[in-house]
Amino acid sequence: MTDHTLLKVKNLKKYFPIRKGVMKRVVGFVKAVDDVSFEINEGEVLGLVGESGCGKTTIGRTILNLISPTEGETIFDGRNIYDLNGRENKKLKTQMQIIFQDPYSSLNPRLNVGEIIGEAVREHKMARGRQVHNKVVEMLEKCGLNEGQVRRYPHEFSGGQRQRICIARSLVLQPRFVVCDEAVSALDVSIQAQIINLLKSLQEEMNLTYLFISHDLSVVRFISDRIAVMYLGEIVELAEKKELFAHPEHPYTRALLSAVPAQTPQEKKKRIILKGDIPSPADPPPGCRFHTRCAYAKEICSKEAPELKPDDHGHFTACHFTGEI
Ligand code: SF4
């Protein structure tokens, strides 16, 4: 990992309009991502965790400009990606890639593996003729597949092998930054470990920078350098992995961690069960969004939203009572 900030997300917001009636009038907004800021250094893996519906996937897609933001900036290597023109955007696509959750629906069933992976190489003019084939085979081999499988179709592969094809397709363009969006969640538990190991070894070998999105803290724990915890469209805690697991500050993080299986017999845990359901992002609670489920909530919590603030060691928490509870 280097000190160079590769990606800087500043005050990012993504609101989806809610439309009703024959005229499809806008009657409100789903605040999927609400004023989120963070940075990722080159070669770093930042894990992003939270319950489903908290806005993780929307962040991943917005920072790749697959969906446009409502407000805010994503600075990649010094440039705001939302200001780029069509040609610059196309070039950026080779540097910023995504690996999706579902290896079944994200591969075109009518193309063989060589065509699926070679398509991107040709489109971005990274090689021609036989060189395309060589690049495809080289990437397939890095991902644990082989040349003999180039002419096979997606339905001939298992779920784990398909995810290897998706990884090869994303990495063949030699990107610098990759969003792994629940990249192992659709796989059997026995296959998950193989794919996470593969992602980790490719990250080291190719000096990749990952935003690793998952609802599963044990998966994020294995691969990440730092971890950001999201709740209802906001980041509530962000810290180095070891620090977060040893000293979680936010009550929501503590509840999430209490559900992760202990790694050693010494690591004793008391399960914290949160009361109630996650509120709707179309009508988030005022003040601290977690106050409707927080065991420590006081009067101020329903009135004022806490800021995400760092301590002396760069451990960020958004809670009025950090260090007191
Ligand atoms: Fe709980 Fe209040 Fe802290 Fe929010 S600000 S996490 S409600 S104690």
Side-chain angles (χ1 to χ4, degrees):
M1 199 202 322
T2 68
D3 289 339
H4 170 63
T5 304
L6 184 64
L7 189 96
K8 192 184 260 187
V9 175
K10 280 163 83 177
N11 308 108
L12 192 71
K13 293 184 183 177
K14 180 64 195 176
Y15 295 175
F16 295 100
I18 305 166
R19 296 176 192 276
K20 274 203 179 139
V22 188
M23 305 299 286
K24 301 267 180 243
R25 269 193 322 117
V26 176
V27 293
F29 291 92
V30 172
K31 296 176 178 174
V33 177
D34 207 2
D35 206 1
V36 163
S37 301
F38 60 87
E39 295 179 2
I40 313 182
N41 281 352
E42 185 135 43
E44 185 184 25
V45 180
L46 178 69
L48 188 60
V49 283
E51 288 164 288
S52 64
C54 71
K56 314 181 290 290
T57 290
T58 307
I59 287 190
R61 282 161 208 226
T62 313
I63 63 177
L64 293 180
N65 211 2
L66 298 176
I67 48 179
S68 45
T70 305
E71 255 180 69
E73 295 179 350
T74 294
I75 317 282
F76 179 78
D77 212 14
R79 297 191 69 187
N80 185 359
I81 65 161
Y82 308 126
D83 291 342
L84 302 179
N85 63 31
R87 201 160 52 91
E88 290 168 326
N89 229 326
K90 191 172 175 190
K91 199 171 160 209
L92 186 79
K93 276 193 182 152
T94 62
Q95 299 196 37
M96 299 175 88
Q97 284 287 310
I98 184 164
I99 298 165
F100 293 103
Q101 171 177 5
D102 187 357
Y104 293 88
S105 62
S106 59
L107 295 173
N108 185 339
R110 290 188 204 86
L111 300 182
N112 67 35
V113 171
E115 289 164 335
I116 288 169
I117 302 171
E119 199 178 34
V121 178
R122 276 193 206 89
E123 190 192 330
H124 292 281
K125 301 189 173 55
M126 295 188 74
R128 287 195 298 180
R130 188 72 193 164
Q131 285 175 335
V132 176
H133 175 82
N134 294 344
K135 262 193 174 296
V136 169
V137 172
E138 188 192 340
M139 200 63 236
L140 272 181
E141 285 174 350
K142 274 190 181 166
C143 293
L145 298 167
N146 60 58
E147 188 169 6
Q149 293 166 315
V150 163
R151 294 195 190 288
R152 295 216 199 144
Y153 287 82
H155 72 267
E156 298 176 67
F157 292 90
S158 66
Q161 287 174 319
R162 285 187 203 208
Q163 196 56 309
R164 288 175 191 271
I165 298 167
C166 294
I167 294 169
R169 179 182 57 184
S170 297
L171 301 193
V172 75
L173 296 176
Q174 305 205 302
R176 295 168 71 194
F177 173 69
V178 183
V179 172
C180 302
D181 185 7
E182 299 278 8
V184 298
S185 307
L187 304 173
D188 289 345
V189 175
S190 57
I191 308 295
Q192 282 189 358
Q194 292 174 17
I195 299 297
I196 300 169
N197 278 322
L198 173 68
L199 286 167
K200 194 169 170 63
S201 65
L202 288 169
Q203 187 260 332
E204 286 163 4
E205 187 185 333
M206 297 172 74
N207 192 31
L208 297 167
T209 305
Y210 286 162
L211 176 66
F212 196 91
I213 297 171
S214 177
H215 67 279
D216 186 342
L217 250 176
S218 10
V219 169
V220 168
R221 180 182 203 170
F222 178 74
I223 199 162
S224 307
D225 297 304
R226 285 185 304 146
I227 297 176
V229 180
M230 269 197 93
Y231 184 77
L232 213 56
E234 297 177 336
I235 290 179
V236 295
E237 189 157 7
L238 196 163
E240 297 279 339
K241 170 175 64 178
K242 274 194 185 154
E243 164 69 14
L244 188 93
F245 273 82
H247 307 290
E249 293 284 359
H250 199 281
Y252 179 61
T253 310
R254 288 184 193 158
L256 284 186
L257 290 186
S258 77
V260 178
Q263 285 195 332
T264 59
Q266 291 75 32
E267 216 179 286
K268 288 198 187 110
K269 287 190 176 174
K270 187 165 171 269
R271 182 80 195 263
I272 302 168
I273 310 282
L274 290 176
K275 57 181 182 185
D277 290 327
I278 186 163
S280 164
D283 186 20
C288 172
R289 291 187 177 182
F290 188 59
H291 84 260
T292 53
R293 302 171 83 190
C294 182
Y296 304 96
K298 298 200 171 68
E299 206 185 333
I300 187 178
C301 303
S302 57
K303 294 190 174 130
E304 279 178 37
E307 255 182 76
L308 184 68
K309 283 198 242 159
D311 66 8
D312 296 344
H313 312 287
H315 182 150
F316 290 76
T317 314
C319 174
H320 291 303
F321 302 103
T322 304
E324 297 171 33
I325 53 177

